Amino acid sequence: ANSFKASTTQSGMAFTLTGSETADGTSASLAMSYALNDTVTITADTDQVAGAESVQTIGAATTLNGVSVSVESANNSTWDVDLGYTAGGFALTYGVDETDGWTATATSALGGGATFAAGVNSEDSMYAGVSFAF
């Protein structure tokens, strides 16, 4: 298998071209990101996986005063909406997609490399735990 990746950033716009050649065929992706200002970013990409229809996606993301909103939609009828809030070492996130699948998560930095995390999702799964990073 062979693969390549090329990227450049010019005046707030970033372009990334990736591709690979395998026994299954050729796959390629072209992604673009534009920072409208300090808080808003617009994205677009086209993705052609070997043997499948190409998928074009557009999105936008913003963060202001600890509140983040990200939306994304594709021509294959998929979409995602993600919301977040951070303050100090505490964060809340919520995400939903076209299947009405959702996830809600809360994290808090405990200090000394420890973080508490808890979450729940639309499949009635729940978790809570502490992780350590040294």
Side-chain angles (χ1 to χ4, degrees):
N2 297 305
S3 63
F4 68 89
K5 180 176 182 177
S7 62
T8 185
T9 301
Q10 303 289 326
S11 302
M13 278 189 118
F15 295 92
T16 303
L17 175 64
T18 57
S20 64
E21 179 70 35
T22 65
D24 295 331
T26 302
S27 296
S29 175
L30 176 62
M32 184 276 305
S33 165
Y34 178 63
L36 231 54
N37 53 40
D38 291 341
T39 61
V40 178
T41 301
I42 305 295
T43 59
D45 70 70
T46 183
D47 192 9
Q48 173 64 55
V49 177
E53 293 287 324
S54 64
V55 176
Q56 289 76 40
T57 305
I58 59 171
T62 185
T63 302
L64 187 59
N65 296 327
V67 176
S68 63
V69 178
S70 173
V71 295
E72 190 174 84
S73 182
N75 67 331
N76 64 352
S77 299
T78 60
W79 56 267
D80 296 298
V81 175
D82 296 300
L83 307 171
Y85 177 72
T86 59
F90 182 74
L92 295 171
T93 60
Y94 175 80
V96 64
D97 64 19
E98 74 284 348
T99 67
D100 290 331
W102 56 268
T103 302
T105 306
T107 60
S108 180
L110 301 175
T115 302
F116 172 78
V120 62
N121 66 26
S122 58
E123 297 175 353
D124 295 328
S125 296
M126 291 188 259
Y127 70 90
V130 176
S131 64
F132 299 93
F134 301 100

